[in-house]
Amino acid sequence: MKITIVGTGYVGLVTGATFAEIGHHVLCVDNNADKIRQLNDLEIPIYEDGLEELVVRNFNNGRLKFSTSIKEGTKFAEVIFIAVGTPPGYRGEANMSYVEKVGREVANNMSSYRLLVEKSTVIVRTSEQLAGTMSKYLKSDIPFEIASNPEFLREGAAIHDAFNPDRIVVGVESEKAAKLLREVYEPIISRSGCEYLEMNIASAELTKHACNSFLAMKISFINAVSRICELTGANIDQVAHGMGLDKRIGPSFLKAGVGYGGSCFPKDVDAFVRMSIEHGYNLDLIKEVQRINIDQREHLMRKLQKELWVVEEKTIAVIGLAFKPGTDDIREAPALYFVPELLSRQAILRLWDPVATNNFRRTYPNLNYCDSIIDCATGADAMLVLTDWPEIQGLDLAQLKTVMKCPIVIDGRNVFSPAQMKRHGFIYDSIGRPTVKN
Ligand SMILES: NC(=O)c1ccc[n+]([C@@H]2O[C@H](COP(=O)([O-])OP(=O)(O)OC[C@H]3O[C@@H](n4cnc5c(N)ncnc54)[C@H](O)[C@@H]3O)[C@@H](O)[C@H]2O)c1
């Protein structure tokens, strides 16, 4: 089958490479000429485990192509996936201008039936707006349809998720659209045995925002409980373990920490709240999720401040710049809150991340980026853990203590255990667990 994907970012590139791998012929379109040049030179613009191999193989066998031309993309295939960004707008609402532009451009260039599939995360009833725009910009009475196919992949495990989704959700309102999308996904369904859910378009659009808001709510819930643990002497690890074994709750997304970030949760939760108000329902429940999330990082900053007393002139080793391990994505990463905050307090920063340093450097070109955690911690008055990279687990704690000026570790991801840090003589504060004084 021929498929066009418009928007070749984290979602578009992973989807394009996956579709090519299962046998489709895919044209990935992006209006960022530099990105398309890189891809045509087989340079992969993002870090995602296993992606490079898929892109190279399918580019070389001719099933995966890249272009800057929406005209070419519109001509290439009957099914066109929209995977452009939907970043936050001025008031926190989802900015739909990129999606709208793709609609206009496809309408301008099409000469026979096209199915436009919303893979970008959009607010409910976007399909109606998109259809309205397409009708206005079509040169003649050419048939088209809109479908919704929200994406649930997790950055850091995106290739695995693309081949082994928990489920595939499609919103379709005609047999023709349903048949086309079943044909797209048939190889993944038969390979993975996943559930394939067909529903109306509004339900599919809403499912995505409801999922992300629910997961964010789980994170804020456990973070709120972690605060009660700190006040009462309970231990969040034990509480979360006890909760997670309840099959009705489940263990995932019950890890207390500095709060959620990334390119999806903050903006999607915000968009969900705004959208619900527009439709006449006040989602105060989710507003509280947002408040707890912001408070959590401020809480971690207060812990650092408390141990240092004065932050000015102190050297802080910041461990982790990506919003989570396994990705170089720094959008809404906790580091983007802590770094400016610490700089404004005249701290001296040393930064480490295994893959996100280049992205961070674009915003902060003149900071001190280090090649290893030990190098980063050398001479530091305190270490601040913001991303739970597996490399941290393998650290030689005796060596870490020796290289630091003061053995203070403030752990926003609970990567160490208080007992282990006590044994090694650190002053250690984490989330929802006893503080180690030594
Ligand atoms: N990143 C994730 O983990 C994830 C997961 C699920 C859903 N989503 C959703 O998928 C969508 C895309 O997210 P992303 O992280 O891939 O974004 P991204 O910013 O990495 O990629 C978007 C791409 O679209 C391109 N683009 C913008 N306008 C264009 C146009 N008119 N024509 C052609 N290309 C255009 C940009 O140049 C960019 O390369 C968003 O709605 C996001 O919420 C993301």
Side-chain angles (χ1 to χ4, degrees):
M1 209 177 168
K2 282 179 148 186
I3 298 169
T4 291
I5 297 181
V6 185
T8 311
Y10 283 87
V11 167
L13 185 56
V14 168
T15 307
T18 311
F19 284 172
E21 181 72 9
I22 59 175
H24 298 311
H25 288 264
V26 181
L27 179 65
C28 283
V29 176
D30 204 289
N31 61 4
N32 180 334
D34 202 37
K35 194 176 264 191
I36 293 301
R37 182 203 52 74
Q38 276 182 290
L39 285 162
N40 278 321
D41 288 345
L42 287 179
E43 285 168 37
I44 312 300
I46 55 170
Y47 175 79
E48 189 63 49
D49 196 24
L51 179 61
E52 183 167 5
E53 195 192 319
L54 275 195
V55 171
V56 170
R57 181 164 53 242
N58 289 287
F59 184 85
N60 287 337
N61 69 23
R63 285 208 299 264
L64 181 60
K65 293 194 162 70
F66 301 102
S67 170
T68 52
S69 166
I70 190 84
K71 189 173 177 183
E72 191 187 345
T74 307
K75 209 170 155 199
F76 181 77
E78 205 173 35
V79 182
I80 301 174
F81 281 82
I82 305 176
V84 296
T86 47
Y90 294 114
R91 289 171 292 114
E93 79 288 4
N95 174 352
M96 302 305 293
S97 65
Y98 302 93
V99 172
E100 192 259 4
K101 190 171 177 202
V102 177
R104 270 188 286 135
E105 290 180 333
V106 169
N108 265 327
N109 287 294
M110 62 189 255
S111 52
S112 58
Y113 172 86
R114 290 294 176 266
L115 175 65
L116 252 81
V117 187
E118 305 163 345
K119 191 165 260 308
S120 301
T121 301
V122 297
I123 44 180
V124 61
R125 300 181 79 166
T126 290
S127 70
E128 292 166 30
Q129 301 276 13
L130 193 56
T133 293
M134 300 253 326
S135 302
K136 285 187 203 113
Y137 286 86
L138 271 175
K139 289 180 188 133
S140 58
D141 203 11
I142 307 165
F144 71 89
E145 285 183 279
I146 312 286
S148 164
N149 170 220
E151 181 52 63
F152 298 100
L153 61 77
R154 298 162 302 163
E155 282 180 29
I159 301 295
H160 171 271
D161 290 354
F163 288 112
N164 307 281
D166 290 343
R167 76 308 203 187
I168 294 166
V169 171
V170 298
V172 276
E173 285 171 6
S174 81
E175 190 40 47
K176 181 170 184 169
K179 189 166 168 286
L180 280 169
L181 281 173
R182 265 183 241 134
E183 208 178 322
V184 169
Y185 279 111
E186 196 285 322
I188 292 180
I189 301 164
S190 53
R191 214 189 249 214
S192 67
C194 72
E195 292 263 2
Y196 185 77
L197 308 177
E198 281 175 6
M199 52 184 82
N200 70 25
I201 298 176
S203 304
E205 290 169 335
L206 194 61
T207 302
K208 175 66 189 176
H209 269 133
C211 276
N212 275 3
S213 297
F214 187 84
L215 293 172
M217 183 175 74
K218 251 184 131 178
I219 295 172
S220 278
F221 182 86
I222 203 68
N223 281 336
V225 175
S226 80
R227 301 290 284 275
I228 301 172
C229 288
E230 289 178 12
L231 296 169
T232 58
N235 182 321
I236 194 64
D237 291 347
Q238 292 164 7
V239 175
H241 188 54
M243 285 176 67
L245 289 177
D246 186 324
K247 289 193 180 63
R248 295 167 302 176
I249 296 173
S252 58
F253 284 77
L254 279 188
K255 194 156 187 292
V258 64
Y260 60 78
S263 65
C264 292
F265 282 8
K267 80 167 172 70
D268 290 350
V269 166
D270 222 12
F272 196 45
V273 168
R274 310 247 165 199
M275 177 277 297
S276 64
I277 293 169
E278 271 168 33
H279 286 279
Y281 183 74
N282 217 337
L283 257 176
D284 283 343
L285 171 73
I286 304 298
K287 282 190 198 160
E288 190 58 14
V289 166
Q290 296 177 297
R291 189 199 63 74
I292 293 169
N293 198 55
I294 291 167
D295 186 53
Q296 199 63 6
R297 61 194 192 195
E298 288 168 358
H299 183 56
L300 195 73
M301 182 63 88
R302 287 191 292 272
K303 284 175 185 274
L304 179 67
Q305 165 99 50
K306 189 167 157 230
E307 287 308 337
L308 291 174
W309 181 29
V310 172
V311 173
E312 198 177 343
E313 288 183 14
K314 299 283 165 59
T315 300
I316 317 284
V318 178
I319 304 298
L321 306 174
F323 84 92
K324 67 171 177 179
T327 180
D328 61 349
D329 197 345
I330 61 164
R331 291 176 283 186
E332 299 287 329
L336 286 174
Y337 162 76
F338 283 94
V339 165
E341 184 70 28
L342 288 168
L343 288 174
S344 75
R345 296 178 192 210
Q346 319 290 320
I348 301 152
L349 298 187
R350 297 174 67 75
L351 313 173
W352 173 84
D353 192 285
V355 295
T357 304
N358 283 345
N359 282 343
F360 213 80
R361 222 183 232 125
R362 285 192 199 114
T363 314
Y364 293 100
N366 299 320
L367 296 180
N368 196 349
Y369 295 92
C370 306
D371 290 334
S372 71
I373 301 176
I374 290 294
D375 174 26
C376 184
T378 299
D381 296 277
M383 178 166 133
L384 179 66
V385 179
L386 298 181
T387 316
D388 42 350
W389 282 104
E391 285 85 340
I392 305 172
Q393 297 289 352
L395 264 183
D396 177 341
L397 289 176
Q399 187 191 11
L400 179 67
K401 178 150 185 266
T402 320
V403 299
M404 291 182 74
K405 201 186 294 168
C406 291
I408 299 172
V409 176
I410 306 296
D411 185 354
R413 297 294 181 186
N414 287 1
V415 287
F416 303 110
S417 79
Q420 160 193 50
M421 296 306 266
K422 183 159 188 61
R423 240 186 355 264
H424 283 90
F426 284 94
I427 296 164
Y428 176 69
D429 205 357
S430 55
I431 306 286
R433 308 184 302 173
T435 308
V436 173
K437 277 296 170 201
N438 272 307

